[in-house]
Amino acid sequence: DAGVIQSPRHEVTEMGQEVTLRCKPISGHNSLFWYRQTMMRGLELLIYFNNNVPIDDSGMPEDRFSAKMPNASFSTLKIQPSEPRDSAVYFCASIPRASGNRDTQYFGPGTRLTVL
Amino acid sequence: GEDVEQSLFLSVREGDSSVINCTYTDSSSTYLYWYKQEPGAGLQLLTYIFSNMDMKQDQRLTVLLNKKDKHLSLRIADTQTGDSAIYFCAERWSGYSTLTFGKGTMLLVSP
């Protein structure tokens, strides 16, 4: 099993540019989570999907952020326009279908975003 | 408190035991987790404990849960330099799928 795959691993962009982060969950997993990690705020949940449907997006910081999950094997997190304060590591995680109450989250390696 | 809280830093010598502490927020939390993050990597689940348990042991790892005080600890026996990482505790509230994470404890193991 390849695990959760995220791309790109590193992204450097200029303020005002559009940024798209991608995630492929583990095959058979039916819940997907996007997190942002910074030194100041730690690990924050941005949004999560269940069966491709957004369930809770209350963590999305503002309208510049949007996330989609067009199918069970792919999700994107888009920032438009990007700002320097969006610089962080963005993680994607997924949960297996019928995992029972454990709901163990499997994390991808993250995308390190730097906005200049 | 409102947050899952952890001490920020712990330094031990190789071969010693490490104890990382965490206080969580909700006494009805059903599962509590410990994750490990190595530099440049994602979070790796180490172990978890169900809220009706007091202790769980898994090889060198021992998790202790004190529900009354909402206190969770992770003990690593015979700590190795490869255990150097950031350790996160997380709770899952009853009825929710999401996790609430602490800010992480950086464990530094010196030879």
Side-chain angles (χ1 to χ4, degrees):
Chain A
D1 195 330
V4 175
I5 298 172
Q6 292 187 247
S7 64
R9 292 295 311 277
H10 301 273
E11 176 82 25
V12 180
T13 190
E14 291 188 344
M15 183 173 65
Q17 297 298 306
E18 177 179 297
V19 174
T20 300
L21 311 181
R22 297 174 175 80
C23 176
K24 177 177 167 54
I26 296 172
S27 177
H29 286 201
N30 68 330
S31 293
L32 184 142
F33 302 75
W34 281 101
Y35 291 90
R36 177 173 67 177
Q37 184 180 37
T38 60
M39 288 290 292
M40 291 297 296
R41 300 173 69 90
L43 202 63
E44 302 172 279
L45 177 66
L46 300 177
I47 185 171
Y48 86 94
F49 296 84
N50 192 41
N51 293 322
N52 313 337
V53 176
I55 301 300
D56 183 357
D57 65 354
S58 59
M60 296 285 264
E62 48 199 273
D63 292 344
R64 296 185 298 107
F65 285 69
S66 62
K68 294 182 180 179
M69 192 164 185
N71 57 62
S73 59
F74 183 66
S75 177
T76 59
L77 178 67
K78 186 175 294 187
I79 309 172
Q80 167 62 18
S82 58
E83 296 182 3
R85 61 193 169 116
D86 301 331
S87 298
V89 181
Y90 291 81
F91 288 103
C92 175
S94 65
I95 292 178
R97 189 183 306 274
S99 65
N101 289 327
R102 292 206 316 272
D103 280 353
T104 301
Q105 295 190 17
Y106 294 82
F107 280 75
T111 295
R112 181 173 295 276
L113 173 65
T114 303
V115 183
L116 302 174
Chain B
E2 293 289 327
D3 297 328
V4 175
E5 295 184 351
Q6 303 178 234
S7 52
L8 291 180
F9 185 75
L10 176 66
S11 178
V12 301
R13 296 186 66 175
E14 191 173 24
D16 290 348
S17 292
S18 307
V19 179
I20 303 172
N21 295 301
C22 170
T23 54
Y24 59 98
T25 66
D26 192 335
S27 57
S28 67
S29 292
T30 52
Y31 281 92
L32 296 134
Y33 305 81
W34 283 104
Y35 280 83
K36 176 184 181 182
Q37 184 181 30
E38 296 181 349
L43 276 69
Q44 172 196 355
L45 178 68
L46 284 179
T47 187
Y48 64 92
I49 189 168
F50 186 50
S51 58
N52 68 353
M53 299 168 64
D54 297 324
M55 185 183 87
K56 180 178 180 181
Q57 187 156 0
D58 184 359
Q59 299 183 339
R60 291 190 299 121
L61 305 179
T62 303
V63 178
L64 295 178
L65 176 61
N66 181 330
K67 284 192 69 175
K68 174 176 171 291
D69 296 335
K70 290 183 281 188
H71 183 265
L72 181 74
S73 67
L74 174 70
R75 178 177 181 270
I76 306 173
D78 188 24
T79 313
Q80 303 297 306
T81 54
D83 295 324
S84 293
I86 301 175
Y87 291 80
F88 292 89
C89 71
E91 62 176 335
R92 185 169 80 85
W93 295 357
S94 177
Y96 288 81
S97 296
T98 56
L99 300 182
T100 303
F101 286 86
K103 285 193 168 52
T105 299
M106 179 177 288
L107 174 64
L108 180 64
V109 183
S110 54

